[in-house]
Amino acid sequence: MTEHEGALQSAPNEAKEGSGVAIIGVGHRLGSLVEDNETLCANLDITPEWILEKTGIERRYLAAPDETASGLSLSAARDAMASAGIDASDIDMIVCCTFSADYRFPALAAKIHADLGVTGGQMLDVQANCAGFVTGLTVASDRMRLDPDLRNALVIGVEMNSRFISRSNADAAIYHSDGAGAVILGRRPGAGIVASAFHTDSSNYEAVRVRGGGSTWTRPDRPFDPSIDTMELNGIATWKQAITHLPRVVKAACQKSGIEPKTADFFIFHQANLKLIQYLVRKLGRDMASTYTNVERVGNSGAASVPIALSEAVSAGKMKQGDSVVIAAVGAGFNFGASVWRWSNISNAGTN
């Protein structure tokens, strides 16, 4: 990866102590229905043992019919706000990261803004697929670093993957789940984001896609077509992209931060596949004690997977004050993102 591939490089005086824009609150919500491998395999020509061998996933959480992206997001956001000790009047920016919002438009962030009772500020949605949350964190933290009037930002990753996946499509159904995770970004001198790096390889643009809903495929009188309106996934192409580029983007973010992957204290990866995470950890010269996984029991919740794993890791006490924490993900397209944070303890972490 060249020096030009990546996000804005942190100023040299931020490399040791962080930028002062830190994660100060976390929260998450999962879909309320649990689907184990045995239940899923009743409609598939594969076995629970095969799913476990290939992915490490034992079960996944799916949204109930009455659950929505905004509803799961609001629950996660309120937990994150309680964790941070703030209320709606303290929020100046909302970023929602998703491909499966309630509507095509307006932005999901506007719905969250209204339902929380936030006044003024800025809101936007980010669509970078499973790398959306890492992207959204950088968008919000960069804005806060440039504008001292922004006090706190709410960043949400949420997906309703099951609404776009046929349970008879083994390629997609074995992985994906529903949920939301949220963080509050606030001011913490000497802590916070240090650097980010991003990379795009669009050579496999068609490998993971949902065409229905896009302007090329949507017609007022077109009937539902599962070949267009549900997720199509090329697992081999996704695996090759991830093992090629995700280690590189992690190394690029670490280099900008003045550390090596071997000396970083902790990693939170996109929870796509347990086997992939195990490969990445080995590739970076680490072991599984340096990361946290929940994909085995939660599944792949897309843009929600990083903040859900982060929220659980905080509750489990996996990170301590001053730790260097690397957050990384890969999303369809394909895009890759990683950021390095100087960790600041969250005093009310148990509230989520």
Side-chain angles (χ1 to χ4, degrees):
M1 181 172 293
T2 72
E3 62 180 351
H4 300 293
E5 293 172 338
L8 293 176
Q9 182 158 347
S10 299
N13 64 346
E14 295 175 339
K16 298 290 186 181
E17 297 183 349
S19 64
V21 177
I23 296 169
I24 65 170
V26 294
H28 70 276
R29 279 292 185 275
L30 303 174
S32 60
L33 304 179
V34 179
E35 179 190 69
D36 58 22
N37 288 343
E38 288 75 14
T39 301
L40 176 60
C41 287
N43 298 314
L44 300 174
D45 189 25
I46 56 175
T47 66
E49 293 75 20
W50 184 89
I51 297 175
L52 191 61
E53 177 186 353
K54 297 298 182 182
T55 71
I57 297 172
E58 301 172 6
R59 65 183 189 184
R60 58 211 58 79
Y61 284 79
L62 309 179
D66 61 343
E67 289 181 313
T68 62
S70 60
L72 293 178
S73 296
L74 282 166
S75 295
R78 289 179 175 130
D79 283 352
M81 292 161 63
S83 174
I86 68 168
D87 59 30
S89 65
D90 300 309
I91 295 174
D92 294 320
M93 184 177 189
I94 300 174
V95 180
C96 287
C97 313
T98 186
F99 90 92
S100 52
D102 290 4
Y103 300 160
R104 299 305 303 169
F105 68 90
L108 178 62
K111 171 72 169 168
I112 304 305
H113 185 280
D115 289 352
L116 287 177
V118 177
T119 302
Q122 181 185 10
M123 68 82 194
L124 70 148
D125 282 4
V126 169
Q127 212 284 56
N129 301 103
C130 297
F133 185 76
V134 178
T135 307
L137 277 181
T138 299
V139 169
S141 61
D142 280 357
R143 282 282 293 115
M144 289 182 67
R145 290 158 73 180
L146 290 170
D147 187 349
D149 290 337
L150 294 180
R151 297 165 298 165
N152 299 285
L154 167 62
V155 184
I156 299 169
V158 58
E159 298 296 5
M160 302 289 279
N161 284 308
S162 66
R163 303 286 165 85
F164 300 90
I165 293 175
S166 167
R167 306 319 291 166
S168 62
N169 178 356
D171 290 337
I174 62 175
Y175 295 105
H176 290 95
S177 60
D178 304 328
V183 305
I184 300 294
L185 296 179
R187 307 285 179 178
R188 291 291 184 273
I193 191 167
V194 179
S196 298
F198 293 89
H199 177 70
T200 298
D201 181 347
S202 57
S203 61
N204 288 113
Y205 169 73
E206 303 284 359
V208 184
R209 63 188 186 182
V210 176
R211 291 174 288 171
S215 60
T216 300
W217 298 95
T218 299
R219 303 287 185 275
D221 57 350
R222 181 178 68 81
F224 177 83
D225 182 343
S227 69
I228 294 172
D229 296 311
T230 62
M231 186 181 297
E232 303 165 84
L233 188 150
N234 183 328
I236 297 298
T238 302
W239 174 272
K240 289 180 178 178
Q241 285 275 335
I243 64 172
T244 300
H245 295 300
L246 199 51
R248 294 176 181 174
V249 84
V250 167
K251 291 175 182 177
C254 288
Q255 183 178 27
K256 291 182 179 183
S257 304
I259 63 173
E260 296 288 338
K262 290 183 179 181
T263 62
D265 292 303
F266 206 70
F267 295 82
I268 299 288
F269 293 107
H270 166 45
Q271 303 292 299
N273 178 330
L274 182 62
K275 306 301 182 181
L276 174 61
I277 296 172
Q278 291 170 338
Y279 176 91
L280 293 171
V281 167
R282 291 194 302 270
K283 186 74 172 178
L284 294 169
R286 305 301 296 272
D287 58 35
M288 292 300 288
S290 66
T291 191
Y292 178 88
T293 66
N294 62 13
V295 65
E296 313 94 294
R297 56 183 173 79
V298 172
N300 174 3
S301 54
S305 79
V306 167
I308 291 171
L310 180 66
S311 178
E312 290 187 353
V314 169
S315 295
K318 295 294 184 179
M319 295 159 289
K320 64 183 184 298
Q321 183 75 25
D323 277 356
S324 53
V325 178
V326 181
I327 302 174
V330 50
F334 280 85
N335 61 111
F336 307 83
S339 54
V340 179
W341 298 73
R342 188 65 61 191
W343 193 254
S344 176
N345 282 341
I346 298 174
S347 58
N348 299 319
T351 62
N352 63 298

